Amino acid sequence: MPYTMHNFDNGADLAQALADRVAASLAAAVKARGEATLAVSGGSTPKAFFEALSTRALDWGKVKVTLVDERFVPADNARSNHLLVKTHLLKAEAAQAAFAPLYRPEKTIEDAARAASSAVPGMDRPFDVAILGMGTDGHTASFFPGGDHLAAALDLNEPRRVMTMEAPGAGEARLTLSFSALHDAGLLIVHIEGPEKKAVLDKALAGSDEAEMPIRAVLERAATTPDIYWAS
Ligand SMILES: O=C1O[C@H](COP(=O)(O)O)[C@@H](O)[C@H](O)[C@H]1O
């Protein structure tokens, strides 16, 4: 199970180090290809990291940002990951970045997933940077235990890049990038904080049942070796 662990004493130090690392990867992509793509997670963990990244000087006008996953709610909903990114990342230096939401105001969530698939940048090639979180149930992105489309979402042969997911622990119906869209990112980060998440990570590393803990797909099968950033 190959991975690289980065441990920090606190979330503030982690946020600065991760912002430096991500900014360097984005800058390298802009230099090499003239543009860079970044897929970020939502939830409560990434706020300080988003704040730090938003201050990093780089050619943000050439950076395209999207979400790893989203609830099927509009951007003014307090639980929207779009709102989180807008509030904490797309400002300061990063205000110039282009943002492509996963949520689309379509009649059905399946229509929204199709619309997002064709509108989200970087879908035809690996993301330069993808940052995953992890829930205490072992979910990552919206790959939830018991999810109705979990097996397909974790299948590396799955052609859809954006999928729908409903699961008992997910609350709202979700839109999620598929594992096939995420696993080969140039830089693949798993960002977790606190002792509870560390215990969940240790449990995930000790087993192999992906249906029980979908994060195991990332830890075991991603083409890119994940870098795990953890603050105690
Ligand atoms: O539902 C979600 O949860 C995970 C973890 O969130 P956190 O609040 O425990 O940090 C997150 O990675 C994912 O993007 C989000 O939709």
Side-chain angles (χ1 to χ4, degrees):
M1 209 174 277
Y3 63 94
T4 306
M5 195 78 199
H6 306 261
N7 297 320
F8 296 85
D9 290 339
N10 56 71
D13 288 352
L14 183 157
Q16 296 302 325
L18 184 54
D20 287 342
R21 179 92 187 267
V22 169
S25 289
L26 296 176
V30 169
K31 193 173 173 195
R33 292 201 327 277
E35 66 167 27
T37 53
L38 167 65
V40 296
S41 289
S44 54
T45 306
K47 278 184 198 164
F49 157 65
F50 285 166
E51 293 284 340
L53 185 60
S54 75
T55 68
R56 296 303 189 266
L58 66 106
D59 198 347
W60 280 104
K62 294 181 175 152
V63 179
K64 295 171 179 169
V65 182
T66 193
L67 284 160
V68 163
D69 70 320
E70 178 63 288
R71 295 170 175 85
F72 190 51
V73 296
D76 59 357
N77 184 299
R79 285 169 59 73
S80 155
N81 286 339
H82 181 170
L83 183 62
L84 178 91
V85 167
K86 191 174 158 194
T87 308
H88 297 284
L89 175 59
L90 302 173
K91 61 185 194 172
E93 297 283 339
Q96 299 307 313
F99 180 71
L102 294 186
Y103 172 81
R104 309 271 152 172
E106 303 283 345
K107 242 184 211 160
T108 68
I109 190 169
E110 288 77 17
D111 289 344
R114 274 188 289 275
S117 277
S118 47
V120 168
M123 285 301 191
D124 49 345
R125 65 177 313 284
F127 287 100
D128 292 303
V129 181
I131 300 171
L132 298 168
M134 183 187 73
T136 51
D137 58 356
H139 86 266
T140 189
S142 281
F143 309 151
F144 281 88
D148 59 349
H149 297 143
L150 181 64
L154 294 182
D155 184 349
L156 282 175
N157 294 314
E158 172 57 54
R160 285 170 294 179
R161 311 285 273 174
V162 182
M163 298 183 64
T164 68
M165 191 73 68
E166 291 192 47
E172 302 85 348
R174 305 285 188 118
L175 292 153
T176 187
L177 299 187
S178 56
F179 185 47
S180 61
L182 288 165
H183 81 110
D184 54 358
L187 176 64
L188 184 61
I189 302 283
V190 177
H191 174 192
I192 55 172
E193 301 199 0
E196 194 184 3
K197 293 263 180 99
K198 180 64 163 55
V200 174
L201 175 69
D202 289 344
K203 182 179 169 193
L205 289 168
S208 60
D209 182 354
E210 296 179 6
E212 180 196 25
M213 300 185 79
I215 185 73
R216 286 175 175 148
V218 176
L219 300 171
E220 294 194 17
R221 295 193 287 119
T224 301
T225 299
D227 282 87
I228 304 175
Y229 278 68
W230 174 69
S232 53

